[in-house]
Amino acid sequence: MEVIAKTNADMLIAGGRNQYTALKARIPFLDINQERHHPYAGYVGMVEMAKELDGALHSPIWEQVRSPAPWQSALAENGPTLRLGECLGERSETAQPTKVVARRKSVAVNPLKQSQPLGAALAYLGIKGMMPLMHGSQGCTAFAKVMLVRHFRDAIPISTPAMSEVPTILGGVYNIETALLTLLEKSNPAIVGLCTTGLTETCGDDMHGILKELRDRNPKIAALPIAYASTPDFKGALQDGYAAAVEAVVRDIPGNTTNHQFGNSADVFYSYAVPGLPSQVTVLAGPSLAPGDVQAVKDMVKAFGLNPVVLPDLSASLDGHLIDQNYSGNTSGGTPLSQIKALNTSAFTFAIGHSMKLSAEILQQRFGTEFNLFDDLTGLEAVDSFLQTLCEVSARPVPEKFRQQRRQLQDAILDAHFFFNRKRVALALEPDLLHSVAWWLAAMGAEVHIAVTTTKSAVMKELPVDKVPIGDLEDFEELAQGADLLISNSSAKSLARRLGVPLYRMGFPVFDRLGNGHRCIVGYSGTKQLLFDIGNIFMEADETQAHEQVHTWRESL
């Protein structure tokens, strides 16, 4: 290391024993000893060596491991630099916008997307005492419920007015009224999340008019908080429905409140979020966040002395837990109604996921609450931006545990970057999650081979790939030829088997793996675990390929 320092060398080329000495000093390293997986002999070997030298020297990871944290920079020392209403962590690497292309097919083969009503139901399930009500036929609700049960392996409360042929033609006023009164009698929900389906959207039910009519003539329904979202399943996807449900909640529920509504000390959420305190902040959790991700976000916010009101809070409802009280037909956890009603008292809004932008703007327009938008929280740069904003909002320094986690992530990046270099990864995910994972892979030196998504989104215009088709898994299989790894939901496992490419399961639904309520890919620790999970897949694939090459050479002798 002294020689490197004196000669100002750009990298170290040596055997494996010196590898981690160089990496700890943040110096590029190339292992030329016998442990390497590629030959350097001959013309092909020379080309391979040149590629590895280039990858080691110019990997994007060096900027990450060498740059100081934003709160350590001179800019941070000069005082708060909070930029309100902006999307923090935006990248400018793409020379021109990514082209989003809709694949024109008469039929979807092996669909990738899930419906809007399912996404709305998922968002509603993050509210305590909630009963999602899908205005449609019984089959519409049954399908969504099966998908949610398989993914979370938990009891899922969803109800339906069970529209048949006659009310579909004549109008569903009676069915909705009967459903609401039955819910009040049987399960007595604190709030109802109403969403439409393709059936009722096609027949053209005037839902705003129906709800006004029912409230005018029935005081029980008038007293029941109802959030209504239009979610036709013949267009859009899960992310659109999820966003529409959150927008409906922040539009219809919050307002002027009085202090007596928050005096219920039996509320288990009361201890960490007291509406009306100056330290209260709103966290709009987007559809890319699993329950484990939401919990990690809450922990980060609370570590700065802030009281987060998370909407929706899937970490308290779909995290897979047993309850002490008797079974309830409504959600047993999530964001309490009292906190939703007091969103107007929050000092700031953190919108996580681009699809939460409109919800944040609604809160800003209604109550003047400033916000910042974070497209993702996976990767060093993204987490840095989030913690820096928390630091400025709370006027507190970043806790030491996050500083240590950051150093651990930087070390993990150094250890793993060899296995990501020049790997081609094919993605088939919802837009918010696709954006997050694609940029994280690019920051690790991998190549986004192809990206397929489910619906239009402004965030798709900024990706490290030239073109993104809106398509199905048949399109994905066709375009993923030559990839080293597939990242998609469990429905892609059969095509992964046909392509002979490993599949990393992510998104919704994941029905052949346990622990979906606890998986976390956000924050420094979540990013580090994702790094290890995918890095181990690449490591195993490299070893298998090397053994196959050696076997082929021996057979040719």
Side-chain angles (χ1 to χ4, degrees), residues 380-402:
L380 189 78
E381 181 183 356
V383 184
D384 282 352
S385 296
F386 185 64
L387 291 185
Q388 177 65 12
T389 305
L390 285 170
C391 181
E392 294 168 357
V393 170
S394 66
R396 291 193 180 190
V398 176
E400 177 57 33
K401 71 173 182 178
F402 295 129

Side-chain angles (χ1 to χ4, degrees), residues 19 44 105 131 157 177 210 216 247 297 410 434:
Q19 175 175 337
V44 175
K105 296 166 61 176
M131 175 56 73
E177 182 177 23
I210 290 174
D216 288 342
E247 291 158 16
V297 172
Q410 288 179 311
L434 175 62

Side-chain angles (χ1 to χ4, degrees), residues 215-233:
R215 284 172 173 145
D216 288 342
R217 75 185 187 201
N218 195 313
K220 291 183 178 179
I221 296 178
L224 177 65
I226 301 174
Y228 161 65
S230 174
T231 54
D233 50 14

Side-chain angles (χ1 to χ4, degrees), residues 36-224:
R36 55 188 161 85
H37 291 147
H38 306 287
Y40 290 157
Y43 295 124
V44 175
M46 291 175 65
V47 171
E48 181 62 35
M49 185 175 186
K51 289 180 178 178
E52 293 193 0
L53 283 167
D54 178 70
L57 276 170
H58 302 114
S59 173
I61 67 105
W62 298 114
E63 182 179 356
Q64 299 178 65
V65 299
R66 290 169 177 167
S67 61
W71 51 85
Q72 296 173 326
S73 66
L75 184 63
E77 292 174 0
N78 291 335
T81 58
L82 191 61
R83 295 170 293 165
L84 302 177
E86 295 188 17
C87 176
L88 300 188
E90 286 188 285
R91 285 86 169 183
S92 58
E93 286 87 338
T94 51
Q96 56 186 2
T98 301
K99 186 177 181 181
V100 181
V101 181
R103 305 273 283 186
R104 299 191 177 277
K105 296 166 61 176
S106 57
V107 63
V109 181
N110 198 3
L112 169 64
K113 75 171 188 176
Q114 305 297 324
S115 69
Q116 279 205 70
L118 192 153
L122 178 60
Y124 286 146
L125 290 169
I127 298 174
K128 187 179 182 182
M130 164 65 77
M131 175 56 73
L133 177 61
M134 282 191 184
H135 183 36
S137 68
Q138 193 165 352
C140 301
T141 305
F143 176 78
K145 187 166 186 173
V146 167
M147 298 295 287
L148 290 164
V149 168
R150 293 184 71 191
H151 180 83
F152 291 107
R153 298 177 185 270
D154 211 339
I156 302 295
I158 301 180
S159 59
T160 175
M163 298 283 286
S164 61
E165 297 86 346
V166 174
T168 299
I169 296 171
L170 300 181
V173 180
Y174 173 77
N175 289 63
I176 294 178
E177 182 177 23
T178 303
L180 291 173
L181 292 176
T182 302
L183 290 176
L184 286 171
E185 179 184 354
K186 300 294 184 181
S187 58
N188 193 27
I191 178 175
V192 168
L194 179 61
C195 60
T196 56
T197 62
L199 176 67
T200 51
E201 288 280 351
T202 301
C203 69
D205 278 349
D206 176 15
M207 295 306 302
H208 290 289
I210 290 174
L211 289 176
K212 183 179 184 304
E213 178 184 341
L214 295 179
R215 284 172 173 145
D216 288 342
R217 75 185 187 201
N218 195 313
K220 291 183 178 179
I221 296 178
L224 177 65

Side-chain angles (χ1 to χ4, degrees), residues 167-500:
T168 299
I169 296 171
L170 300 181
V173 180
Y174 173 77
N175 289 63
I176 294 178
E177 182 177 23
T178 303
L180 291 173
L181 292 176
T182 302
L183 290 176
L184 286 171
E185 179 184 354
K186 300 294 184 181
S187 58
N188 193 27
I191 178 175
V192 168
L194 179 61
C195 60
T196 56
T197 62
L199 176 67
T200 51
E201 288 280 351
T202 301
C203 69
D205 278 349
D206 176 15
M207 295 306 302
H208 290 289
I210 290 174
L211 289 176
K212 183 179 184 304
E213 178 184 341
L214 295 179
R215 284 172 173 145
D216 288 342
R217 75 185 187 201
N218 195 313
K220 291 183 178 179
I221 296 178
L224 177 65
I226 301 174
Y228 161 65
S230 174
T231 54
D233 50 14
F234 48 74
K235 68 176 182 179
L238 181 147
Q239 176 170 304
D240 299 306
Y242 186 105
V246 178
E247 291 158 16
V249 172
V250 299
R251 181 192 65 230
D252 298 341
I253 305 304
N256 295 324
T257 55
T258 54
N259 291 332
H260 73 271
Q261 292 176 292
F262 314 119
N264 183 10
S265 60
D267 189 341
V268 298
F269 300 87
Y270 181 75
S271 59
Y272 78 81
V274 182
L277 291 185
S279 59
Q280 178 183 301
V281 293
T282 300
V283 179
L284 298 175
S288 63
L289 301 182
D293 297 322
V294 177
Q295 184 61 55
V297 172
K298 285 166 59 176
D299 292 342
M300 284 189 280
V301 176
K302 290 162 65 176
F304 284 82
L306 298 171
N307 299 290
V309 176
V310 183
L311 180 68
D313 189 358
L314 298 180
S315 70
S317 60
L318 293 176
D319 59 330
H321 63 273
L322 298 178
I323 56 176
D324 297 329
Q325 62 267 33
N326 294 331
Y327 172 78
S328 171
N330 309 313
T331 54
S332 60
T335 314
L337 180 60
S338 60
Q339 292 182 12
I340 299 174
K341 289 182 176 180
L343 289 180
N344 60 316
T345 63
S346 290
F348 198 78
T349 297
F350 295 87
I352 303 173
H354 198 85
S355 59
M356 294 293 100
K357 183 178 182 181
L358 181 55
S359 296
E361 290 174 345
I362 291 173
L363 289 175
Q364 184 183 47
Q365 186 177 35
R366 293 190 65 194
F367 311 122
T369 311
E370 300 292 351
F371 74 92
N372 270 349
L373 177 66
F374 300 86
D375 281 341
D376 47 72
L377 292 183
T378 300
L380 189 78
E381 181 183 356
V383 184
D384 282 352
S385 296
F386 185 64
L387 291 185
Q388 177 65 12
T389 305
L390 285 170
C391 181
E392 294 168 357
V393 170
S394 66
R396 291 193 180 190
V398 176
E400 177 57 33
K401 71 173 182 178
F402 295 129
R403 297 170 187 258
Q404 178 67 6
Q405 288 175 8
R406 189 180 192 273
R407 292 188 285 264
Q408 290 172 345
L409 176 57
Q410 288 179 311
D411 185 74
I413 290 171
L414 287 169
D415 292 344
H417 81 278
F418 299 103
F419 305 103
F420 284 79
N421 185 38
R422 293 188 291 141
K423 289 296 191 299
R424 295 162 297 181
V425 185
L427 306 173
L429 300 165
E430 294 277 341
D432 279 5
L433 187 57
L434 175 62
H435 180 274
S436 176
V437 175
W439 277 113
W440 171 74
L441 287 168
M444 285 302 301
E447 173 191 345
V448 179
H449 181 62
I450 184 63
V452 178
T453 192
T454 59
T455 185
K456 293 181 179 180
S457 172
V459 79
M460 291 292 94
K461 295 180 181 179
E462 301 173 355
L463 285 177
V465 64
D466 294 332
K467 182 173 67 174
V468 175
I470 298 174
D472 53 31
L473 289 175
E474 183 185 57
D475 303 323
F476 184 53
E477 182 173 4
E478 175 187 336
L479 297 169
Q481 303 283 342
D484 298 304
L485 177 68
L486 309 181
I487 300 181
S488 187
N489 59 44
S490 292
S491 299
K493 65 178 181 179
S494 58
L495 70 90
R497 193 179 303 114
R498 289 192 294 271
L499 293 174

